[in-house]
Every structure is written in C-alpha cells, then in structure tokens.
Amino acid sequence: MTARIDVVVPAHDEQDRIGACLAALEVAVGRLHGERPGVEVGVTVVLDGCSDDTAGLVARHRVRVLETPHVGVGRARSLGTAQALASAPGGLHAVWLAHTDADSRVDPGWLVQQADALSDGLHLLVGAVVPDPDDLTADVLDRWRLAHPPGAALGHVHGANLGIRADAYVAVGGFDPVREHEDVRLVERARALGLQVRATTELPVVTSGRFDGRTPGGYAEHLRRTYAP
C-alpha cells in the first residue's frame, strides 16, 4: 500500500509569514520526492477567519484550501485534518498527518523525517521548535540559547512540529476544539493509551519569535514570560 503524508497548516491572519511557511514546505516536498519517491504528499491550509491577505498569498501555491470562520487553532487543525483524511486512500495505518503552523518554517528534511517515522512504525512524533532569531533582540536570544544548549532534553509539545499516524489520530479522538494546547492534549492521550511516541530534537522547525501570539498561552506567551527583559 502506498504511504502518504498529509500536512495541515492552520492560519489566522498570517500574511507576513505564510509565504515563507509554504515556500519551506515546497522545498521539503521536493526533498521527499527525491529521497522517498514512493511516498505521496499533500498540503492543506486552513484559513481560520483571516481578515488580511493570507488567502491571496496562499492562492499562489499548489495546496488545498479550507476556509472557516475564526474557530481557533484546535478546531482549525481538526477541520483541516478531516478534509485531508477525506481524500486519503484506504488504510489509515499508511497515512501520516504532519502538522506545522503558518508562522513557521520546516527544515528541508522535515517530510523525510516524518516519512521515516511512519516506516519505523511510530504512532506519533513530537518535534522541537526554535524561535526565529531575526525576531529576537540579542539579549533575549542569548537567554534562550543559554536555556537550550545542544542536546538539551525535550519537555514541550509544539503543534508547529508534530506528526501522527492517521489510525492513531482516530484512536485518540483527534484534536480537541480548543483555542490552545490541543497539541498537548493529543499527545497526553496517545501516551495514556500506550502508543509509540518518540520525541526528537533533530530538524527543529523555525517558528515566530514574536511575543504577541495568536493564542493567550501559546509559544509567543511562553517566550515573553520566560525570556523577555
């Protein structure tokens, strides 16, 4: 049975960053085709109540688009995943759902990493993120680097770098329709069910280093509370 990866990207008013996000995904798709030619791939962008030019910028790329009212990131991820699965072939154990965010840029090898997680028999891959250094002042960046030396143990779950096999996604009930921490809840349920969960610091996703995020308790707030002067 042909393996397939479906990438889901929720986006709420991300006109300044969605172009870089999708350009990075296009590079990753090219790498996947070159190194794992038997793996199919698709990208779905969920326009979550966008009032800026995010939709116009997304239209320049070859991706599926789902438009919704502003439902929040948890519901947006869930709706995007449902659309991806609706067009996926039978056999959910051969379908991998890779999640990132519209303010993030994946590594060129990210989709190969996701494909390897599927072939390794994993149910869920929890990846790392790093803040975009261009968004941070020198002192904030120094504090972040001091707290994250190379090889530092993982302790966080990020929707910007998360992959799950489709049958496992169904088994844990999918993403909760909440405005934040839907990623954490998903991983907690997977671990509670004894699914094969792997955390990795390899190929981290570069995500926005802004302090004013789209969710009150998300990564932006974490950066602000932990590393701001």
Side-chain angles (χ1 to χ4, degrees):
M1 182 176 295
T2 302
R4 178 176 177 84
I5 299 176
D6 276 290
V7 183
V8 178
V9 185
H12 174 64
D13 289 347
E14 291 288 0
Q15 65 178 15
D16 294 334
R17 300 175 188 268
I18 189 67
C21 169
L22 295 181
L25 280 170
E26 288 171 354
V27 172
V29 168
R31 174 77 68 86
L32 180 71
H33 287 329
E35 297 188 20
R36 305 291 186 273
V39 180
E40 298 178 353
V41 63
V43 178
T44 298
V45 177
V46 183
L47 299 174
D48 181 25
C50 294
S51 59
D52 62 359
D53 194 36
T54 300
L57 296 171
V58 170
R60 302 177 185 177
H61 299 265
R62 298 182 63 181
V63 299
R64 296 192 195 97
V65 176
L66 175 63
E67 292 194 55
T68 72
H70 186 29
V71 295
V73 65
R75 184 66 174 149
R77 284 196 208 279
S78 179
L79 291 170
T81 302
Q83 176 163 297
L85 290 177
S87 60
L92 295 183
H93 65 282
V95 177
W96 187 263
L97 302 166
H99 296 273
T100 191
D101 287 339
D103 66 342
S104 303
R105 305 189 306 274
V106 303
D107 185 272
W110 186 69
L111 286 174
V112 174
Q113 181 189 58
Q114 301 292 314
D116 288 347
L118 175 61
S119 64
D120 287 346
L122 293 181
H123 292 116
L124 202 154
L125 184 67
V126 180
V129 303
V130 296
D132 189 335
D134 290 340
D135 292 337
L136 304 178
T137 61
D139 59 331
V140 171
L141 183 59
D142 286 344
R143 281 193 287 273
W144 186 89
R145 285 173 171 164
L146 184 64
H148 296 79
L154 288 171
H156 299 283
V157 174
H158 304 281
N161 192 355
L162 186 68
I164 184 169
R165 208 168 75 187
D167 57 341
Y169 177 82
V170 173
V172 301
F175 288 111
D176 291 337
V178 293
R179 293 193 175 273
E180 60 184 10
H181 304 319
E182 77 293 337
D183 42 7
V184 175
R185 294 181 182 210
L186 185 85
V187 174
E188 286 176 345
R189 290 199 298 273
R191 286 179 167 142
L193 288 176
L195 300 185
Q196 293 296 316
V197 179
R198 177 186 295 168
T200 179
T201 57
E202 296 182 4
L203 307 186
V205 168
V206 177
T207 197
S208 166
R210 63 192 175 195
F211 287 169
D212 54 337
R214 298 295 183 261
T215 59
Y219 189 64
E221 177 63 12
H222 165 71
L223 285 177
R224 188 191 67 77
R225 285 189 290 105
T226 309
Y227 303 108

